[in-house]
Amino acid sequence: MGQSNKTILLPDIGTADAVDVIEIAVKPGDQVQKEDTLITLESDKASMDVPSEIAGTVVKVLVKVGDKVKQGDPVAEIEASDAKASTNEKKEDTKQKQEKETEIEKEKTPQPKQEAKPAAQSAPPIASGNVYAGPAVRRLAYQLGVDLTRVSGTGNKGRITQEDVHQFVKQSMASGGGSGLGVLPWPDVDFSQFGEVEVTSLSRIKKKSGANLHRNWVMIPHVTQFEDADITELEAFRKANKASVEKQGAKLTPLVFIMKAAVAALKKFPSFNASLSKSGEELVYKHYFHIGVAVDTPNGLLVPVIRNVDQKGFSELAIELKEISEKAREGKLKANDMQGGSFSISSLGGIGGTAFTPIINAPEVAILGVSRSVMKPQWDGETFKPRLMLPLSLSYDHRVIDGAQAARFIVYLSECLSDLRRILL
Ligand code: CAO
């Protein structure tokens, strides 16, 4: 493969007048592909990108912002990565490219409400509405999903530069607005000015689960529905069977029954056992019942998945729950142990608390939070009776599940827990 330098000259830009260089898109050392933008020009009526005629490495940029240039002026020197590509044969292509750029500009630039003059139609405006940016900047913004109306321009006359777009993205990432929330930057405080402090790194698990939780919280419209299930009878049944499960080395906790009751509810309301497709336009119903269980470990939260919960008995589930939560706490879970869940349960019942709002584990569409059961007086129509009530908190993705469906789900779940025989129906 041959190597040679080529000076890129300014092609025919449709005017004999000198026009301003408003942006330099490359610097020495940059690799460019054929037709990558080198500089952007601006005339009274339009802005246009000047593309490279060849692929290669930028050796020198021969103009600077503010220069006035006209056809034939040298723009940049490029060391061709393929000597053949440096011939002049593609001048025609370049012209076509400019025409294409102009078209793109025309499409993406919101047109003023008043009818544009013919001249303005043939040469699209770069300042329209409240956005003042050239085609390269618009393309960059389009690729990065940036709304240019929210970007402040630091260029000449408030023009938005590529750097402005990059800064906007950086700022919104730093402020936690990776999806363009445009919130204020995170406060940068030196806490030591107020008293003694100690700084430690977040664990690897916390960093990873934190990023997932953040995405899920920001991207899923959550609603949490609460209900208290009367588990008085269930508790009697649990106590009666506790010892036999203990003999097998596991604990028969309420969670095992909640998992089975959740499967019964998922079967009755299949949209809770589903995921949105990536496009967000389809719902994928799962015909399996793999339940993720949030486990509190010394290094942070992990959610191992117990598979085919519908096909397992209470003691089998109790044993599996013990094994998998031990594995999680000992840091022995494999990636595969945490994949494939179709619904999750986060139980804080062993600790306490009255209710909480769990964050959905995407791409699942719902999660059940369980708090500590407590004796409460319940009105039976004639008198108050002490009943053991289990607080349930169901967070659901409101794009997929309606409030009424969620209420039906949680009421049915509660009924299953109150009378386990329903699970068999
Ligand atoms: N109400 C009353 N008592 C409950 C209860 C409830 N809802 N749930 C559990 N208990 C009792 C159990 O019966 C057990 O009592 P005994 O030892 O007397 O039988 C005790 O509380 C401890 O239970 P456990 O926590 O060991 O077992 P579990 O099956 O309920 O939960 C596991 C297992 C792994 C889910 C749990 O240990 C855990 O890690 N929970 C934390 C999950 C978490 O962090 N969620 C938050 C995620 S969002 O940040």
Side-chain angles (χ1 to χ4, degrees):
M1 191 156 75
Q3 297 261 320
S4 70
N5 285 9
K6 176 170 176 62
T7 302
I8 308 292
L9 303 179
L10 193 67
D12 179 4
I13 51 170
T15 172
D17 299 338
V19 295
D20 291 330
V21 176
I22 59 161
E23 210 165 295
I24 310 283
V26 292
K27 58 183 183 320
D30 282 357
Q31 299 287 325
V32 287
Q33 297 303 315
K34 187 173 166 230
E35 303 211 338
D36 278 358
T37 299
L38 298 175
I39 62 170
T40 303
L41 306 176
E42 177 186 315
S43 72
D44 289 348
K45 298 175 198 145
S47 70
M48 71 196 83
D49 288 347
V50 176
S52 178
E53 293 164 36
I54 57 168
T57 309
V58 177
V59 180
K60 262 188 217 160
V61 180
L62 302 167
V63 290
K64 56 185 186 316
V65 170
D67 282 358
K68 286 197 175 292
V69 289
K70 53 183 193 309
Q71 186 181 352
D73 283 351
V75 170
E77 200 176 307
I78 311 270
E79 183 184 64
S81 49
D82 178 350
K84 280 184 211 156
S86 65
T87 61
N88 281 337
E89 73 193 1
K90 298 296 175 196
K91 272 190 180 158
E92 192 52 31
D93 277 5
T94 305
K95 200 170 164 212
Q96 280 171 9
K97 164 80 178 166
Q98 281 171 353
E99 281 162 7
K100 212 165 121 200
E101 293 296 343
T102 300
E103 281 306 309
I104 290 170
E105 167 74 348
K106 213 167 181 172
E107 270 172 32
K108 293 197 187 132
T109 304
Q111 297 297 313
K113 282 202 174 115
Q114 294 143 352
E115 230 173 76
K117 290 177 188 157
Q121 283 170 343
S122 60
I126 61 160
S128 70
N130 45 8
V131 171
Y132 183 40
V137 171
R138 284 173 186 275
R139 193 167 47 244
L140 177 69
Y142 180 72
Q143 283 162 353
L144 297 176
V146 170
D147 174 1
L148 281 178
T149 59
R150 296 177 46 213
V151 180
S152 316
T154 59
N156 190 19
K157 298 178 207 154
R159 187 179 47 78
I160 299 169
T161 64
Q162 295 204 356
E163 184 53 26
D164 293 333
V165 176
H166 286 303
Q167 278 306 327
F168 179 84
V169 172
K170 271 190 210 159
Q171 215 171 38
S172 56
M173 297 295 281
S175 62
S179 54
L181 290 179
V183 293
L184 286 174
W186 194 259
D188 184 12
V189 179
D190 173 12
F191 299 101
S192 66
Q193 65 182 305
F194 305 115
E196 199 180 315
V197 295
E198 182 189 340
V199 181
T200 60
S201 264
L202 286 179
S203 69
R204 191 179 51 82
I205 292 177
K206 274 223 162 81
K207 283 185 196 156
K208 204 151 185 247
S209 63
N212 278 317
L213 288 164
H214 188 187
R215 178 202 55 205
N216 300 346
W217 180 249
V218 167
M219 294 186 72
I220 303 173
H222 282 71
V223 178
T224 305
Q225 169 71 58
F226 303 98
E227 169 71 323
D228 278 353
D230 183 337
I231 58 162
T232 316
E233 320 297 340
L234 173 63
E235 185 60 6
F237 180 76
R238 186 182 77 86
K239 281 190 174 148
N241 291 281
K242 216 173 146 208
S244 75
V245 176
E246 261 163 25
K247 276 191 205 138
Q248 300 172 62
K251 248 198 303 190
L252 190 62
T253 62
L255 184 54
V256 171
F257 301 99
I258 296 165
M259 288 168 74
K260 289 297 275 187
V263 167
L266 292 172
K267 283 186 175 168
K268 195 169 167 72
F269 302 95
S271 55
F272 287 78
N273 201 48
S275 284
L276 272 177
S277 63
K278 205 174 165 199
S279 68
E281 291 179 357
E282 288 161 328
L283 203 53
V284 182
Y285 291 94
K286 293 150 200 175
H287 294 164
Y288 50 83
F289 300 89
H290 302 340
I291 307 288
V293 178
V295 178
D296 175 34
T297 81
N299 290 321
L301 173 71
L302 287 170
V303 189
V305 173
I306 300 191
R307 286 170 207 277
N308 302 314
V309 173
D310 55 321
Q311 296 164 30
K312 292 176 180 165
F314 297 124
S315 43
E316 196 179 354
L317 285 174
I319 293 165
E320 199 169 331
L321 187 59
K322 176 180 182 269
E323 287 171 354
I324 202 134
S325 53
E326 276 175 7
K327 230 171 143 184
R329 287 179 177 131
E330 289 161 10
K332 290 186 182 156
L333 284 180
K334 303 212 166 65
N336 164 37
D337 291 326
M338 290 178 280
Q339 286 165 0
S342 51
F343 180 81
S344 292
I345 301 179
S346 175
S347 173
L348 294 172
I351 303 168
T354 51
F356 63 107
T357 54
I359 297 179
I360 297 162
N361 191 12
E364 295 164 22
V365 295
I367 181 169
L368 181 71
V370 181
S371 299
R372 193 166 189 79
S373 58
V374 62
M375 276 293 183
K376 282 187 184 173
Q378 294 296 304
W379 183 252
D380 70 357
E382 289 173 4
T383 176
F384 282 105
K385 294 258 170 69
R387 306 292 294 176
L388 186 64
M389 305 303 289
L390 178 74
L392 303 172
S393 312
L394 175 74
S395 292
Y396 59 91
D397 183 337
H398 210 344
R399 293 171 300 178
V400 176
I401 293 157
D402 297 332
Q405 263 180 306
R408 285 188 195 106
F409 181 96
I410 206 165
V411 166
Y412 182 71
L413 176 66
S414 165
E415 286 169 358
C416 287
L417 288 167
S418 298
D419 183 355
L420 274 185
R421 288 170 302 183
R422 281 178 176 269
I423 293 177
L424 304 171
L425 291 176

